[in-house]
Amino acid sequence: MKIVGAFLLLLGLTWIIPAFQNYQLATVAAYLCATAGLTVLTGQNGQLSLGHGALMATGAYTVALMQNAIGVLVLSLAAGVLVTTAAGAVIGVAAARLRGPYLAGVTLAVAVVVPGIATMFDDVLGGDQGLTFYLAPPPFGYDFPFERWQAWIALGAALLTMLLLGNLAASRFGREFRAVRDDEIAAKLSGIHVARTQILAFVVSAAAAGLGGGVLAVLAQSVSPGAFSLTLSLFLVMAIVVGGLGSLAGAVWGAILLVALPDLTARVTDVFALSSAFAQRLEGNLPLAIFGITLIVVMILAPGGIQGLVRRVPYRLMVIAPLLRLVKGR
Amino acid sequence: MRKLVLPIAMLLAVVGCSSESGGGGGASVPGVTDTEITVGTHMPLTGPASAGYSQIAPATKAYFDFVNAAGGVHGRKITLNVKDDGYNPANTQQVVRELVLQDKVFAILNGLGTPTHTGVLDFLNSQRVPDLFVASGSRSWDQPGKYPGTFGFNPDYTVEGKILGSYVQKNLAGKKTCFLGQDDDFGRDSLAGVTGVLGDAGVAVKQTYTTSVTNVGPQIDAFKSNACEVVILATVPGFTALTIGTAARQGFAPQWIVSNVGGDYNTLAKSLGDAAPLLEGLLGANYLPTASATSDPWIQLFQKINTEYNAGAPFDGNTIYGMSVGYLFVQVLQAAGKDLTRESVIEAVEKGGFTGPGLGPLRFSGDDHSGYGGLRMTRVTDKVQAYFGPTYETDSEGGPVTEYTVAPPAPPANGIPAAA
């Protein structure tokens, strides 16, 4: 229940922090839905997906179309999750028959094809320009800051996702996920239906990604294919690896990184007095490079990701503290 | 579940800490102090549309530096905060929020791109941020009832399409005319203007492209197999160059007629490199003095500023465009007076009466938020893009295309618009 407490604290925080931080917090929460889902799939069930950005797009476009058709946010988000769940089931059935690079290939194809669909059916989906949609003002009156309201929506979605996925991981299904990840043959011998378990993991993961995508659309009040490029899919995988593969806490780190790193790189280019043309060129490409370098560094220094590192810190401190005492004693 | 507490606590700490930097104090007008005005913009400094366009904001900045060196406007120096959106609407959403919510800019000036800027209209409107002189000719900017703070700069694409269409009607009659447009309001508004004059049947083949797909081979195939003789392009510079280059490779050489946003000779010649001679005979339309008109006093002024304040960057249509925007903005600030507020600046624009280097009329008023209302045809001859014929004006509805005979005034002696 500590997690609920922490989220309540975050909700309270949205009263204090300024609008842009609320927007960033909401973005972290939206990404968290997707990284948490991907953590269940990749970290706990051992299936790699390079197509989760596309699943987020599926949720986002569904929300946009539903908002324009009916305009009830809860219904739109629910529809986004449902449609993505269906898409996840289709991909999941294929995925359950594929392993390693083949699975990566299929999901990669999904990541490439889905944004293309938006440009193909441009009269419905708006092409590269995307779709904008109306979002009702907060139910607390027009003076209520819009970004705080958006943060509440996003934090609510993230809380729901984390609670459900956390309970799932602790349940019989969670144990089956991990059994299949660790050794498929052993799992099969223990009476676990491997394919069904894998499909279930994919469906759950897709549903979470769909919700994340839908919330992301709500934050921008628009969707466009550029928000869900192949780069996003790759970023999501990198984020959960750097964050700490396998634990939902790692997914939180990953979501924070997805928002913080591009921001940080912009700041870094500001600090160095670079020629403006060079800084401009850098700013477009630097986040990718920094993410890549971070990935390499983390893999070498802390194979368990940030969460793995954090888990080791108290132990390290316990070693260092007596040493310090020795030094001081003399 | 207990493991989650630490990352969430960190998140709390991070978000909590950064809040201090964001607090803007109790300033009455965002982005305005007694000594400074901060405005922001979003530009494609990288990505598919960056060719040429990445030079616009530095040119605007250079004009502001020129004005700042002379003491600024009403004692305030102008700072332009430029953010790269890579011509990706999703990034525009992000950077414009950063400019408005985090950096607390006074206004958004000359945000570039039809697909990109369309996505932030509602946000800017809900935040009551003046959205001045959008760098695009989409008709969306001209909706005073829905978006009271948004004003265009470019002639809208339908106005331009009508003028290009009427040129074809008069001078290239009987030739099979085709059209390639960007797959968004840019291409659609432009096509509406062209067919408004030539009729739907007057455009034999209509094709579109998206900036995320850098291959226009199939579109060229369609033009070639239908024996198009004239092709009108509503394309950004990178795609104008791509189209002309691809067509040459496929042995297809129609008469090209290019929209002003994608027809600057110097930008295209740089993109095409050795293939620049393909641009000979290229027709287009424009409404600002061309870089080749070295005797034009505006060009002399802008060249001087470019040398002194823009590190002598390549002087082309983008530079002229960026400085023209800067000039108009300074003119508006002068008109808005010393007590600068978001309301007073919008009032000042709506009062109208602005002039500048542009050839057509600037007709801002309470119920007209579009930008320039006229253009003149250009042709490339011996590597020089020059104007010919009269300047035309028209509206974006069914009105006729007529000649506009008022010549732009000379710039003020010191290069800075005087206070109203």
Side-chain angles (χ1 to χ4, degrees):
Chain A
M1 280 303 97
K2 273 185 185 167
I3 171 167
V4 178
F7 270 94
L8 285 178
L9 217 65
L10 280 172
L11 280 185
L13 189 70
T14 60
W15 283 93
I16 311 162
I17 60 177
F20 188 63
Q21 269 72 37
N22 265 328
Y23 179 74
Q24 285 185 310
L25 181 64
T27 314
V28 170
Y31 280 133
L32 176 55
C33 299
T35 52
L38 193 55
T39 295
V40 168
L41 183 71
T42 305
Q44 297 180 352
N45 191 234
Q47 301 188 78
L48 178 64
S49 168
L50 298 178
H52 261 51
L55 290 169
M56 289 181 82
T58 309
Y61 272 95
T62 309
V63 165
L65 292 172
M66 282 290 286
Q67 276 298 105
N68 283 334
I70 301 171
V72 182
L73 185 61
V74 180
L75 277 182
S76 301
L77 285 172
V81 173
L82 274 179
V83 172
T84 320
T85 307
V90 174
I91 305 167
V93 169
R97 291 172 164 72
L98 299 168
R99 296 290 174 272
Y102 303 101
L103 178 55
V106 165
T107 51
L108 186 67
V110 173
V112 173
V113 164
V114 166
I117 290 175
T119 43
M120 180 92 81
F121 300 99
D122 58 332
D123 39 347
V124 186
L125 301 177
D128 275 359
Q129 188 170 319
L131 296 171
T132 56
F133 58 87
Y134 177 73
L135 188 61
F140 316 103
Y142 279 91
D143 290 338
F144 193 86
F146 203 71
E147 282 71 25
R148 188 185 301 154
W149 171 232
Q150 289 178 316
W152 286 15
I153 296 172
L155 286 170
L159 173 62
L160 187 71
T161 308
M162 293 298 274
L163 278 180
L164 292 179
L165 292 185
N167 281 318
L168 184 75
S171 72
R172 181 172 67 88
F173 294 110
R175 285 193 300 281
E176 288 182 1
F177 284 176
R178 291 188 291 276
V180 169
R181 172 194 66 189
D182 291 339
D183 191 334
E184 277 187 32
I185 294 165
K188 209 175 269 177
L189 282 174
S190 331
I192 295 170
H193 194 307
V194 171
R196 201 165 57 202
T197 309
Q198 287 177 325
I199 295 170
L200 180 69
F202 215 109
V203 167
V204 167
S205 175
L211 182 61
V215 171
L216 215 53
V218 167
L219 298 185
Q221 290 167 66
S222 74
V223 280
S224 57
F228 305 100
S229 60
L230 177 60
T231 319
L232 173 64
S233 294
L234 298 179
F235 269 167
L236 286 172
V237 176
M238 287 203 257
I240 60 161
V241 174
V242 173
L245 204 55
S247 76
L248 288 174
V252 180
W253 291 116
I256 296 173
L257 280 178
L258 280 173
V259 174
L261 267 187
D263 199 47
L264 213 66
T265 43
R267 260 161 234 246
V268 168
T269 44
D270 280 349
V271 168
F272 296 110
L274 302 166
S275 83
S276 62
F278 184 63
Q280 285 162 9
R281 194 117 327 137
L282 216 56
E283 217 165 288
N285 305 315
L286 204 59
L288 252 173
I290 292 207
F291 226 123
I293 294 167
T294 312
L295 184 67
I296 294 168
V297 171
V298 166
M299 285 304 94
I300 292 171
L301 296 182
I306 298 177
Q307 184 57 23
L309 199 66
V310 165
R311 223 175 288 147
R312 274 175 13 216
V313 163
Y315 171 73
R316 286 263 170 88
L317 285 181
M318 274 186 282
V319 179
I320 294 167
L323 279 175
L324 281 176
R325 225 174 294 138
L326 271 176
V327 175
K328 276 184 188 165
R330 280 181 193 176
Chain B
M1 281 289 110
R2 215 187 314 150
K3 285 184 291 181
L4 283 173
V5 173
L6 185 69
I8 289 173
M10 279 295 291
L11 184 60
L12 271 171
V14 168
V15 173
C17 286
S18 53
S19 73
E20 280 154 41
S21 61
S28 52
V29 184
V32 178
T33 66
D34 286 342
T35 54
E36 200 180 6
I37 307 165
T38 310
V39 290
T41 191
H42 62 90
M43 290 274 162
L45 304 177
T46 55
S50 63
Y53 289 169
S54 59
Q55 291 161 41
I56 291 176
T60 311
K61 241 182 178 162
Y63 184 77
F64 289 157
D65 288 343
F66 168 73
V67 172
N68 292 344
V73 183
H74 297 301
R76 296 189 183 99
K77 306 245 151 103
I78 310 167
T79 309
L80 180 63
N81 195 343
V82 187
K83 300 263 186 217
D84 180 17
D85 64 9
Y87 210 62
N88 175 345
N91 292 350
T92 314
Q93 293 282 353
Q94 182 76 33
V95 298
V96 167
R97 274 175 176 79
E98 205 174 330
L99 286 168
V100 171
L101 301 174
Q102 169 102 327
D103 304 344
K104 306 235 185 306
V105 295
F106 171 66
I108 297 292
L109 176 66
N110 202 222
L112 189 143
T114 305
T116 48
H117 200 79
T118 304
V120 292
L121 276 180
D122 286 300
F123 170 72
L124 290 175
N125 184 47
S126 69
Q127 298 281 334
R128 309 230 185 296
V129 178
D131 179 19
L132 304 177
F133 317 131
V134 184
S136 144
S138 169
R139 288 165 69 181
S140 318
W141 324 140
D142 184 19
Q143 302 184 63
K146 198 172 168 198
Y147 301 118
T150 298
F151 296 85
F153 183 82
N154 303 22
D156 77 47
Y157 294 127
T158 305
V159 165
E160 182 181 41
K162 281 172 74 180
I163 291 173
L164 296 179
S166 94
Y167 177 83
V168 171
Q169 195 176 41
K170 280 182 203 146
N171 301 286
L172 299 165
K175 303 234 177 191
K176 194 169 197 178
T177 305
C178 304
F179 181 91
L180 173 67
Q182 191 161 299
D183 189 16
D184 52 34
D185 291 345
F186 168 22
R188 284 189 282 270
D189 287 2
S190 181
L191 182 61
V194 174
T195 54
V197 172
L198 298 177
D200 198 47
V203 182
V205 182
K206 304 176 186 85
Q207 293 284 320
T208 59
Y209 73 91
T210 56
T211 51
S212 51
V213 182
T214 49
N215 173 23
V216 291
Q219 288 93 326
I220 302 290
D221 271 342
F223 293 141
K224 198 181 168 189
S225 59
N226 281 288
C228 294
E229 293 165 281
V230 176
V231 179
I232 300 177
L233 299 175
T235 47
V236 294
F239 276 80
T240 310
L242 183 70
T243 304
I244 293 176
T246 308
R249 219 173 296 132
Q250 299 185 12
F252 175 58
Q255 172 64 58
W256 302 107
I257 304 182
V258 192
S259 161
N260 74 85
V261 294
D264 179 58
Y265 175 78
N266 294 352
T267 308
L268 296 176
K270 201 175 152 198
S271 294
L272 284 169
D274 292 342
L278 290 173
L279 296 169
E280 281 302 308
L282 179 78
L283 289 171
N286 208 342
Y287 56 100
L288 295 171
T290 56
S292 59
T294 44
S295 60
D296 185 307
W298 288 99
I299 294 301
Q300 287 166 357
L301 169 70
F302 289 164
Q303 266 178 334
K304 193 185 106 189
I305 296 171
N306 194 51
T307 314
E308 285 173 32
Y309 294 94
N310 202 16
F315 190 75
D316 60 22
N318 301 294
T319 322
I320 298 163
Y321 181 92
M323 292 196 191
S324 302
V325 169
Y327 184 86
L328 178 62
F329 183 61
V330 170
Q331 213 174 357
V332 166
L333 287 182
Q334 294 280 29
K338 200 157 178 51
D339 295 324
L340 185 64
T341 62
R342 285 176 163 172
E343 293 74 27
S344 76
V345 87
I346 287 170
E347 245 174 68
V349 183
E350 287 193 335
K351 219 177 267 171
F354 303 108
T355 55
L359 307 177
L362 268 171
R363 351 175 218 218
F364 295 122
S365 71
D367 49 13
D368 191 345
H369 284 196
S370 67
Y372 276 103
L375 301 108
R376 194 177 171 196
M377 294 297 294
T378 62
R379 183 188 286 124
V380 176
T381 324
D382 293 335
K383 299 185 192 172
V384 175
Q385 189 167 40
Y387 281 114
F388 66 94
T391 302
Y392 293 100
E393 69 167 324
T394 187
D395 59 12
S396 36
E397 306 300 328
V401 177
T402 54
E403 287 186 21
Y404 178 76
T405 50
V406 184
N414 65 352
I416 299 168

